[in-house]
């Protein structure tokens, strides 16, 4: 954990390298004097969108010149991460995606899903902490 799902238009740069860069940054970042998370804890996937309509214009391929093309990220974390750690994870993901795609960070939208008690189904039952 965390699980990071990135959604963009199909024609971006090397998706695998960008995801590896995101994951590596999470493992090498120091938070309060120790590693943010242990290696092999995060999982990244890339999902492509067929088309994005923005300002009544349809976009079907990523074009770095069109800086308003958004990148959507779903970040799934469990409650072992404090709000401060989640904020750092979001900042790292946003910075690495921007660096890898050339998209301005203001067009990266990250929505965090937190596994709170009563809202997670795992091991065949609703987890209530």
């Amino acid at each position: 954990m965390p699980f990071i799902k990135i959604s963009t238009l199909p024609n971006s740069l090397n998706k695998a390298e960008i995801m590896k860069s995101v994951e590596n940054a999470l493992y090498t970042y120091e938070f309060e004097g120790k590693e943010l998370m242990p290696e092999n804890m995060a999982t990244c996937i890339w999902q492509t969108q067929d088309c994005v309509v923005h300002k009544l214009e349809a976009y079907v391929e990523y074009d770095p010149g069109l800086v308003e093309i958004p990148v959507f990220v779903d970040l799934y974390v469990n409650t072992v991460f404090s709000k401060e750690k989640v904020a750092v994870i979001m900042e790292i993901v946003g910075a690495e995606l921007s660096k890898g795609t050339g998209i301005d960070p203001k067009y990266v939208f990250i929505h965090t899903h937190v596994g709170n008690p009563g809202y997670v189904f795992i091991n065949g039952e609703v987890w209530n902490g």
Side-chain angles (χ1 to χ4, degrees), residues 23-84:
E23 190 174 336
N24 187 54
L26 293 171
Y27 303 145
T28 58
Y29 189 89
E30 284 199 16
F31 181 80
E32 297 179 349
K34 52 187 170 184
E35 63 186 12
L36 179 64
M37 68 182 70
E39 281 193 40
N40 301 320
M41 186 177 207
T43 300
C44 296
I45 69 164
W46 201 292
Q47 164 182 291
T48 56
Q49 303 163 345
D50 293 335
C51 180
V52 171
V53 175
H54 179 61
K55 296 183 179 177
L56 299 178
E57 291 187 36
Y59 301 93
V60 294
E61 285 192 7
Y62 169 70
D63 179 350
L66 300 172
V67 294
E68 293 180 344
I69 299 297
V71 175
F72 299 103
V73 179
D74 286 294
L75 172 63
Y76 299 86
V77 295
N78 57 20
T79 55
V80 300
F81 292 100
S82 65
K83 286 183 181 181
E84 294 80 16

